[in-house]
Amino acid sequence: MSTLTQPPATAPAPRPASPPDGPYRKPAQGKIKCVVWDLDNTLWDGVLLEDAEVTVRPGVVAHIRRLDALGVLHSVASKNDHDTAIAKLRELGLADLFLYPRIGWNPKSQSVKEISAKLNLGLDAFAFVDDQDFELAEMEFSLPEVTRVNAADIDTELVRTEFRPRFVSDESAQRRHMYHSQLARDEIESEFVGTNEEFLASLGMTFTIAPAAREDLQRAEELTIRTNQLNSTGRTYSYDELDELRESPDHLLLVATLTDRFGSYGKIGLALVETGQPDWQLHMMLMSCRVMSRGVGSVLLSHIMERARTAGSGLRADFVETGRNRMMQITYAFSGFREVAREGDRLVLRADLEQIQPLPGYVEVQVTP
């Protein structure tokens, strides 16, 4: 058994909580968040540069629209002439279905890496569909984390558990539209003249914090499964677990939502706090990666710190180093949390409630009792 070590402290530090179900693992169900499609002899029959009158495959489009309604995103990685292919997608009325398409002559593995960076999703959340064995093999060699699907097998492969989220919320069905709104934000930001804070102020952001309601729990479970970089413990929670905690008198389950002048980012934050004396214990803190660049990553955390201080309690937080959540560790450190106990990759952090970071002036924060 490993030995608990801790920095010098005036009082004994608690032992970090062990995970209840062994190592943290993301469930396989719904693990695919984006499908990247080839075009020639995959999305359509024929080779576009040889025959401009290619024929779209209705079965493929049906799969794309079905998965889109479930919240699964789509993109393109095609070796083709960019302008010709984009024009054909627009002509077919399909261009809006694909986010950050990569069309050119680079290796398709490079295209998938670029799409992954743009969407801020891990490579293990991607599936790649192609009709060519060579392209599938190149993807396996270069990016083995990516799920590979032969275009001939989509009717059996794309209905597997990995492509089916457990819940489909209203927000899931709007996910692609949220990303398109992000494209508009990115375009405005690239042309904006001024400081980053001035740009953020121009967005008119409203950050709302509220107790989780039952109708929030499907999205809350989804957040625990999808979020990696801004997840304090990496643990997933089921709908039933969250519902029990929501009704517990000894816990706070808070949901954060963000909107701006382009529309809603949806529910982007979740926190689970066990209240009590002398300390509150923050068991889970996570934020959606899609708001990383919006300067609101510590708003929910500051709110919890303020509530603990008002209640006359201290605040400690569980943290598990997952290898992917360094950004959340930095968020805690920036907010004044310091390590007081460690066992392996499991830490306990303590907040300095005398030094709570002020809320950023470029966002309006609304709190629902």
Side-chain angles (χ1 to χ4, degrees), residues 11-14 273 278-283 314-318 332 337 340-341 348-351:
V273 188
D279 296 315
W280 287 12
Q281 193 77 18
L282 182 52
H283 291 302
L315 179 63
R316 295 174 184 259
D318 298 330
Y332 272 127
F337 283 75
V340 295
V348 173
L349 310 175
R350 183 176 179 83

Side-chain angles (χ1 to χ4, degrees), residues 247-356:
E247 296 185 334
S248 166
D250 301 323
H251 291 82
L252 294 174
L253 184 63
L254 301 175
V255 173
T257 305
L258 185 67
T259 60
D260 67 15
R261 64 187 175 94
F262 292 96
S264 176
Y265 295 77
K267 298 176 182 68
I268 48 80
L270 188 67
L272 172 64
V273 188
E274 185 175 359
T275 58
Q277 294 287 345
D279 296 315
W280 287 12
Q281 193 77 18
L282 182 52
H283 291 302
M284 173 182 60
M285 166 66 65
L286 61 86
M287 297 290 292
S288 172
C289 295
R290 64 178 178 239
V291 299
M292 286 178 67
S293 63
R294 291 296 168 254
V296 296
S298 62
V299 171
L300 181 57
L301 189 54
S302 293
H303 170 75
I304 293 168
M305 294 170 71
E306 187 63 51
R307 287 184 68 163
R309 182 168 68 180
T310 300
S313 298
L315 179 63
R316 295 174 184 259
D318 298 330
F319 188 85
V320 178
E321 296 172 336
T322 65
R324 304 181 72 174
N325 62 352
R326 175 67 175 163
M327 185 61 67
M328 179 56 79
Q329 194 166 15
I330 292 171
T331 299
Y332 272 127
F334 178 78
S335 297
F337 283 75
R338 297 294 178 263
E339 180 181 328
V340 295
R342 172 187 285 267
E343 185 175 3
D345 58 4
R346 303 200 246 310
L347 289 69
V348 173
L349 310 175
R350 183 176 179 83
D352 180 358
L353 298 184
E354 299 303 316
Q355 302 292 329
I356 300 176

Side-chain angles (χ1 to χ4, degrees), residues 4 10 16 25 37 41 49 57 98 110 115 144 150 157 160 177 181-182 195 199 201 207 242 261 357:
L4 176 65
T10 57
R25 291 189 177 92
W37 295 84
N41 291 316
L49 293 182
R57 294 178 171 176
F98 301 107
Q110 180 177 331
I115 296 164
N150 191 296
E157 293 295 297
R160 285 169 26 200
H177 300 289
S181 294
Q182 186 58 46
T195 66
F199 169 71
F207 192 103
L242 292 168
R261 64 187 175 94
Q357 293 290 329

Side-chain angles (χ1 to χ4, degrees), residues 192 195-205 293-295 362:
F192 188 84
T195 66
N196 185 57
E197 285 206 2
E198 288 171 338
F199 169 71
L200 293 175
S202 76
L203 294 177
M205 291 185 289
S293 63
R294 291 296 168 254
Y362 47 74

